[in-house]
Amino acid sequence: MSDPRTNHSRNGAPATLYDKIWNRHVVSDLGDGSALIYIDRHLVHEVTSPQAFESLRLAGRPVRRPEATLALVDHNVPTTPRDRPIEDPLAAKQISLLRENTAAFGIAFLDIDDPRQGIVHVVGPELGLTLPGLTIVCGDSHTSTHGAFGALAFGIGTSEVEHVLATQTLLLRKSRNMRVRVDGTLPPGVTAKDLALAIIGAIGTAGATGHVIEYAGEAVRALSMEGRMTLANMSIEAGGRAGLIAPDETTFAYLEGRPRAPKGALWERAVADWRTLASDPGAVFDREVVIDAREITPLVTWGTSPEQVVPVTGRVPDPDDFADPAAGRAAAAALDYMGLEPGTPIEGIAIDRVFIGSCTNSRIEDLRAAAAVFRGRKVAAGVRQVLVVPGSGEVKRQAEAEGLDRIFRAAGCEWREPGCSACLGMNPDKVPPGERCASTSNRNFVGRQGPGARTHLVSPAMAAAAAVSGHFTDVRRLATAGGV
Amino acid sequence: MEPFTTLVSVPTPLLRDNVDTDLIIPAAWLKTVSRKGLGAGAFESLRKRPDGTPDPGCVFNRPQYRGSQILVAGRNFGCGSSREHAAWALADLGYRCVIAESFADIFASNAFKNGILTIALESADLARIAADAEAVRPVRVDLAAQTVTTADGTVVAFALDAFRKHCLLNGLDEVSLTLEKHAGAIAAYEEAARQRMPWAIGG
């Protein structure tokens, strides 16, 4: 009992959601808090897999269960019309190599022209591959997204991709349990993205290192699946190994009828099982953080780490005001890179570009929130480009069926094909050196959106508000058709 | 994998917190299909000026640290993206050990799988290693003894997972180990899971 890593449920003690998923996936208990853990679903993309397939080939090893893996392309794909060839030869090679590798090893592959293609963390849930209680991995740190369904989902490196392909398992040391409880309800105009940034601002980017986070409380329960995915997605920005939300009626309603979700009697049996996954009353968490949702406002990052965040109504902080000298030095370096002066009101910061997309904020609800701001408005003069990039083919079709694409185009935005786009400075969608971007993505690191790019992380509604204003604007002051 | 036993090197001082994997290797370099050659892009935004010329003030360009095999940094080293390219880039630069106050979980795992030892030290101990790094004095890492010996002979102990230590000391490949030791247990798990959670394993 005193050791948080002991197996609570097996000795009858209350267990957390994380404990329960861990316990039911133990293949071999190796003692010392480590175990060989079975992996139910493996998602593969073009960037972090070539070396894994190469190693399998060199060792003459097969993929143990090809049907447990789905591969697709997202990081490298251009978001311009799909009938054009990929100009970057290196990107084209990675994509064609994944096509060859999946064919050779018998793995399902959604190619660039597949109507279901999109960002791996948007497509997995849409297909119903993501289910409560599963273990899900991908060579991408934002795999934490799938934790929104109560699945233990986390990013792995390429050596681990190889290990999962060859053995369908991973050798893991159990993380500690951390609960983030969010009391109250989020005020109007405040979204799951603001909640994620508020949590990271409160605990820091290493705040959950060594832990799996469980998000709980009234505000989390009230989130849609889209909102829950946004929250779980940024667990890695808080340092968490994974982020979990207990499955409930919202989860089941989203999943029922999805192509790969169980059907009929098996669905009923699965749901009955999933209802037992929630953390038991009295389960022990190694750390607990309580956040009051009512105090959260729309947020904007000002620096080069997601923890460097302030309310849109606030000002750029002064490095001299930080109690921790290291944090003060980091702030000074960040302001130098960002080209910002201490004390500047956030609403006074003009922007050059806007990016609405990424595995954090490219789902239908995100696009609806942005469209509600754009409806009847124009992109401000001086804003060079507003990219709106749906997370998947399904999101794109849904948005077009609702007429959102017409709203974006009428406002002066570019409506693109699905992909990771300008989140990571890898495909043609980049922010040029020295330019400032209001972005719905997840990382504002130095050079993340391209060398010298200056990134401010915001929600989709706040990104749209910045686009139509030419500078950061509190979206709550803009009357919107959707009543944001 | 090359076994890790002892290492004597001048450490390179990268004395800052939150060194993220985008800083270690920018995304533009991730289009490779090989593990080799990433050293050329490592820490690009620090090593190069905006005009593309080398910044002579950057530690990675200073001759005193040429051939260094140990990197010293602050808190939360390797945060951000899961890209193993960060570990490959460090290995390509010649680094076999990173000493920091703390590490992001995925990076630590990736480093280990590439024979790079990550040593987490409390700030007072870290400061001794950092001082040697800044003064260009060599330190000695002994994995079997789990110690770092500073230039003045001070011995600093570090903690390490027993399994990782065993693999690093012997240069073992984890996939081979799992298949040799656990193939039967994996098959037994799958058989039981088909009854217990058919929706999970049937997918």
Side-chain angles (χ1 to χ4, degrees), chain A residues 18-26 33 35 37 172-174:
Chain A
Y18 171 50
D19 296 335
K20 293 179 187 183
I21 303 174
W22 174 275
N23 290 339
R24 51 167 70 181
H25 287 88
V26 172
I37 293 292
L172 298 172
R173 172 173 284 276
K174 194 172 179 216

Side-chain angles (χ1 to χ4, degrees), chain A residues 411-434:
Chain A
C413 308
E414 295 179 35
W415 175 243
R416 295 291 191 94
E417 297 294 325
C420 295
S421 186
C423 175
L424 82 167
M426 181 156 197
N427 53 71
D429 300 342
K430 291 186 182 70
V431 175

Side-chain angles (χ1 to χ4, degrees), chain A residues 24-28 30 34 36 38 40-41 47 50-51 54-55 61 64-65 67 76 88 90-91 93-94 97 131 134 139-141 155-160 162-163 166-167 169 171 173 205-206 209-210 236 239 241 260 262 266 269-270 273-274 307 326 424-426 443 445-446 448, chain B residues 15 17-18 20-23 26-35 38 44-45 75-76 79-85 88 102-106 109-110 113-114 161-163 173-176 178-179 181-183 185-190 193-203:
Chain A
R24 51 167 70 181
H25 287 88
V26 172
V27 172
S28 301
L30 306 174
S34 297
L36 193 68
Y38 197 79
D40 296 314
R41 300 278 190 278
V47 176
Q51 296 86 350
E54 179 194 37
S55 294
R61 290 184 182 126
R64 181 178 178 87
R65 284 189 59 227
E67 70 277 16
N76 256 331
D88 179 346
L90 296 175
K93 184 177 177 190
Q94 273 192 339
L97 196 55
L131 298 173
L134 302 191
D140 188 283
S141 60
I156 57 176
T158 300
S159 294
E160 290 175 315
E162 178 194 347
H163 196 279
T167 72
T169 65
L171 185 59
R173 172 173 284 276
T205 51
T209 301
I236 186 70
R241 189 72 170 107
R260 298 285 292 270
L266 194 58
R269 195 181 146 195
D273 176 72
W274 296 339
E307 69 190 22
L424 82 167
M426 181 156 197
R443 290 188 178 133
F445 296 159
V446 167
R448 171 77 179 184
Chain B
L15 304 179
D17 295 337
N18 296 318
D20 61 72
T21 54
D22 277 80
L23 187 75
W29 289 84
L30 308 191
K31 292 173 188 170
T32 178
V33 296
S34 163
R35 291 178 173 85
L38 286 163
E44 196 173 39
S45 64
R75 189 181 61 106
N76 200 27
C79 61
S81 159
S82 61
R83 58 189 69 169
E84 194 161 324
H85 307 67
W88 300 334
S102 62
F103 293 89
D105 295 331
I106 304 177
S109 169
N110 287 339
K113 288 180 168 65
N114 289 278
D161 178 282
F163 175 77
D173 160 18
E174 208 182 288
V175 177
S176 303
T178 299
L179 290 172
K181 287 189 174 178
H182 302 290
I186 296 170
Y189 175 94
E190 288 174 340
R194 280 193 183 91
Q195 307 302 318
R196 204 160 45 98
M197 297 186 287
W199 56 86
I201 200 155

Side-chain angles (χ1 to χ4, degrees), chain A residues 171-421:
Chain A
L171 185 59
L172 298 172
R173 172 173 284 276
K174 194 172 179 216
S175 301
R176 288 184 282 272
N177 280 288
M178 175 171 177
R179 179 160 58 190
V180 175
R181 203 184 78 208
V182 190
D183 293 340
T185 53
L186 292 171
V190 179
T191 67
K193 180 63 163 288
D194 301 299
L195 173 56
L197 289 171
I199 292 167
I200 296 160
I203 70 173
T205 51
T209 301
H211 294 75
V212 165
I213 302 170
E214 179 174 343
Y215 299 100
E218 186 185 354
V220 175
R221 295 260 71 83
L223 291 174
S224 65
M225 284 319 298
E226 285 84 355
R228 292 180 189 186
M229 283 188 260
T230 299
L231 180 60
N233 172 275
M234 290 193 72
S235 302
I236 186 70
E237 271 65 54
R241 189 72 170 107
L244 297 171
I245 297 170
D248 60 10
E249 298 309 320
T250 303
T251 321
F252 308 145
Y254 177 98
L255 286 172
E256 191 168 13
R258 299 264 166 192
R260 298 285 292 270
K263 306 281 188 301
L266 194 58
W267 168 259
E268 298 301 330
R269 195 181 146 195
V271 170
D273 176 72
W274 296 339
R275 288 186 201 282
T276 69
L277 287 171
S279 291
D280 296 326
V284 178
F285 288 86
D286 303 278
R287 268 191 80 192
E288 174 132 20
V289 173
V290 179
I291 305 265
D292 188 344
R294 292 158 291 211
E295 292 176 2
I296 301 174
T297 59
L299 296 172
V300 180
T301 64
W302 52 267
T304 55
S305 170
E307 69 190 22
Q308 294 171 323
V309 65
V310 287
V312 63
T313 51
R315 291 171 183 271
V316 174
D318 189 330
D320 292 340
D321 293 343
F322 285 80
D324 172 13
R329 283 195 301 276
L335 291 187
D336 181 53
Y337 178 81
M338 294 296 289
L340 292 173
E341 292 297 325
T344 306
I346 296 296
E347 290 195 281
I349 300 172
I351 53 143
D352 303 302
R353 284 166 194 265
V354 175
F355 169 54
I356 296 172
S358 87
C359 60
T360 309
N361 279 131
S362 65
R363 298 176 183 84
I364 190 66
E365 194 175 90
D366 302 316
L367 301 186
R368 287 177 190 145
V373 175
F374 280 120
R375 187 176 283 123
R377 294 193 174 95
K378 295 280 185 197
V379 171
V383 176
R384 294 188 176 89
Q385 184 181 50
V386 180
L387 282 179
V388 185
V389 188
S392 70
E394 183 175 317
V395 171
K396 183 164 188 273
R397 283 187 296 281
Q398 176 69 27
E400 290 174 351
E402 295 179 18
L404 305 185
D405 59 318
R406 292 194 298 277
I407 296 170
F408 294 130
R409 284 199 173 102
C413 308
E414 295 179 35
W415 175 243
R416 295 291 191 94
E417 297 294 325
C420 295
S421 186

